[in-house]
Amino acid sequence: MENQPEIVTKALEFAQWGWDLALQWLLSPAAWSQFGLLLVAYVAAVLATRRLHPALRGLIAPAEGQEGLIATVRRFVLAFLPLLLPLLAYLFTAIGESVTATLFGSSAVIAFGKRVFLFLAARILVSEIIRDPFLKLLGRYVLIPLMAIYAVGLLDLVSDKLNESVVHLGNISFSLMSLVRGLIAGSLLFWFGRWSNDQSAAYIGKQEELRPATRTLAAKAAEVTIFGLAFLLLMNIMGISLTSLAVLGGAIGVGLGFGLQKIASNFISGVILLLEGQATVGDYVALDGGEAGTIVKMTARAAILETFDGRWIVVPNEDFIVTRVVNYSDSGSANRYDAAFSVSYDTDINRVPALIEAAVARLPFVLQDPDGPDCELRGFGDSGIDFAVEFWVNGIDDGRNKYTSQVLFAVWNALKENGIEIPYPHRVVEIKSGSLT
């Protein structure tokens, strides 16, 4: 065994240590008494759980259909009832530990049992209580292995080894223990940051008295603040000096600055858009480049437009600043459209405006404010007299809102009901005497 790798030698040493410890416990009356106390503690915990579990459930569980903060907290606490058995076993074992330490001067087996009960509690927590997929993954691959190492009494040894291993990265140096601690803490911090950001965004979104642009800006500011604090707290947990990090970050920033100019420009443009409120979520806009649609989302880099046929167009925020933008809706303001039609030259055109205006005014989506329907004479065409009716609606005439089509239906029906002819092209062919060639 002398030529084996170091890791194999260490594993064999631990195996030998475990075997010696097991033999010592098997041959020791004190160890057997401690095993007996562990068994008694577990049985007592099972009996106590059978009595306490129904009582606690009835006390904590809210009434069916009850909502509100108190009901939510009670349901949250109720989810932890499966931990009752291992925690009671741990409590009873702790009582037994003080007894054995007094009688035999040793409580190693009892201490091992306590750690095993904590390991069982961790398994129940991950398998039965945690529902979030990310937290469940973190519990399965971090918490349970960590509790297993703690249960066998090797946690201090592993911690010492990780603290002794130091990694140097330029002016920054940190131990592997700091790295592991940072990975665990970072995962929890950024999960909590994401959850906090979702909650704050939902709360801000419910404040209807604020403009949509103000709500979006507040949500973005909350997001930057939450994740900024999480990053600073993570650096502090890992023990990394922010001064050294600033030097490294400055060097990286100089190298990447030129390549990130567009991203920075789009980010600043997005902040300007949110502050000025010239275009916000819900507005129907058209850009010089031909992009047109309703703004459904504004991110730090771009705005997402949805066309009337359901397609999404990603437009960089910078385009809203450096090009001309036509905002048709401005958060729900009215828009004016017109529908053209023609009547025959045999028509008494003085009757047409009143008939058409009355017919269009009866449509439910046509507004009377800022102005009602207005029928205008536009000109004298080749086949008929050209009119157009102007009308105001609270929306955009796009794929979902066929305002002009419904107005033309109303015009057609009004003209037909009043015997007014809608012309179509006529051609007069005059044949003079002689042969056609």
Side-chain angles (χ1 to χ4, degrees):
M1 303 297 293
E2 296 178 356
N3 297 326
Q4 295 296 327
E6 183 179 358
I7 186 172
V8 176
T9 305
K10 289 291 184 182
L12 292 175
E13 289 178 0
F14 284 128
Q16 184 63 41
W17 171 78
W19 175 252
D20 294 339
L21 182 62
L23 287 178
Q24 180 183 351
W25 285 357
L26 289 174
L27 299 177
S28 172
W32 279 102
S33 64
Q34 293 179 52
F35 278 120
L37 285 174
L38 281 177
L39 182 60
V40 170
Y42 180 76
V43 172
V46 171
L47 297 176
T49 301
R50 289 179 180 177
R51 288 183 173 273
L52 290 175
H53 194 281
L56 290 175
R57 175 173 288 276
L59 180 65
I60 299 173
E64 185 176 354
Q66 185 178 356
E67 300 295 336
L69 179 61
I70 301 299
T72 302
V73 173
R74 294 175 71 177
R75 290 191 182 95
F76 177 78
V77 174
L78 189 64
F80 288 87
L81 272 185
L83 292 176
L84 185 60
L85 174 60
L87 293 181
L88 283 177
Y90 178 86
L91 177 62
F92 294 156
T93 305
I95 297 173
E97 182 180 16
S98 62
V99 175
T100 55
T102 303
L103 295 178
F104 303 104
S106 173
S107 59
V109 177
I110 290 287
F112 173 73
K114 286 173 56 180
R115 297 194 296 267
V116 169
F117 288 138
L118 285 181
F119 172 75
L120 294 177
R123 286 200 57 185
I124 293 173
L125 178 68
V126 173
S127 61
E128 300 183 22
I129 298 175
I130 295 177
R131 292 289 178 263
D132 184 84
F134 176 77
L135 289 182
K136 187 177 284 290
L137 183 69
L138 196 65
R140 185 179 297 123
Y141 293 106
V142 176
L143 179 61
I144 291 180
L146 190 65
M147 293 304 296
I149 294 173
Y150 173 70
V152 297
L154 297 178
L155 185 60
D156 291 338
L157 179 62
V158 173
S159 299
D160 292 340
K161 289 294 183 182
L162 291 176
N163 281 318
E164 292 172 1
S165 303
V166 178
V167 177
H168 298 278
L169 185 62
N171 293 329
I172 301 175
S173 61
F174 50 87
S175 65
L176 289 181
M177 187 63 184
S178 298
L179 181 61
V180 172
R181 188 167 56 238
L183 289 175
I184 297 173
S187 300
L188 291 174
L189 281 173
F190 282 95
W191 174 87
F192 182 73
R194 185 196 64 182
W195 180 83
S196 301
N197 180 59
D198 292 343
Q199 298 301 314
S200 62
Y203 175 77
I204 294 172
K206 294 178 182 177
Q207 310 307 309
E208 299 293 340
E209 66 275 8
L210 299 177
R211 283 178 55 88
T214 305
R215 293 199 298 267
T216 304
L217 180 61
K220 293 298 179 185
E223 180 180 4
V224 171
T225 302
I226 289 171
F227 284 103
L229 290 175
F231 177 75
L232 293 177
L233 185 58
L234 177 60
M235 293 298 101
N236 187 42
I237 291 174
M238 292 182 65
I240 297 177
S241 172
L242 294 180
T243 304
S244 301
L245 190 65
V247 174
L248 181 61
I252 296 175
V254 171
L256 297 180
F258 292 103
L260 298 178
Q261 285 185 17
K262 280 292 183 181
I263 294 178
S265 174
N266 286 318
F267 178 79
I268 297 173
S269 299
V271 173
I272 294 174
L273 283 174
L274 293 174
L275 287 173
E276 295 183 349
Q278 295 176 350
T280 186
V281 175
D283 290 352
Y284 187 92
V285 298
L287 281 74
D288 271 355
E291 302 89 352
T294 303
I295 301 177
V296 295
K297 186 177 182 181
M298 298 186 73
T299 66
R301 188 189 66 85
I304 299 176
L305 310 184
E306 183 179 13
T307 63
F308 71 89
D309 53 359
R311 291 179 173 85
W312 279 18
I313 304 175
V314 180
V315 181
N317 290 328
E318 185 183 19
D319 290 359
F320 285 87
I321 303 297
V322 300
T323 63
R324 185 176 62 179
V325 179
V326 180
N327 191 332
Y328 288 93
S329 54
D330 190 21
S331 300
S333 62
N335 294 279
R336 191 185 71 175
Y337 296 94
D338 62 72
F341 64 95
S342 299
V343 298
S344 170
Y345 275 102
D346 296 331
T347 304
D348 180 6
I349 60 175
N350 296 299
R351 300 171 53 207
V352 172
L355 292 174
I356 298 303
E357 289 173 2
V360 174
R362 288 193 291 269
L363 296 173
F365 55 82
V366 175
L367 304 177
Q368 299 301 318
D369 184 26
D371 194 11
D374 180 26
C375 184
E376 299 177 348
L377 176 64
R378 292 289 176 88
F380 302 97
D382 294 337
S383 302
I385 303 173
D386 299 329
F387 284 87
V389 58
E390 297 177 346
F391 58 95
W392 288 82
V393 295
N394 193 9
I396 305 298
D397 190 4
D398 60 8
R400 289 183 293 271
N401 304 312
K402 301 291 188 179
Y403 297 133
T404 303
S405 174
Q406 297 182 58
V407 167
L408 288 174
F409 270 108
V411 170
W412 171 275
N413 293 330
L415 294 178
K416 286 297 182 180
E417 290 172 0
N418 290 274
I420 298 176
E421 180 182 354
I422 298 176
Y424 54 88
H426 290 76
R427 296 291 182 268
V428 177
V429 180
E430 183 177 342
I431 301 177
K432 296 183 177 181
S433 60
S435 61
L436 294 173
T437 57

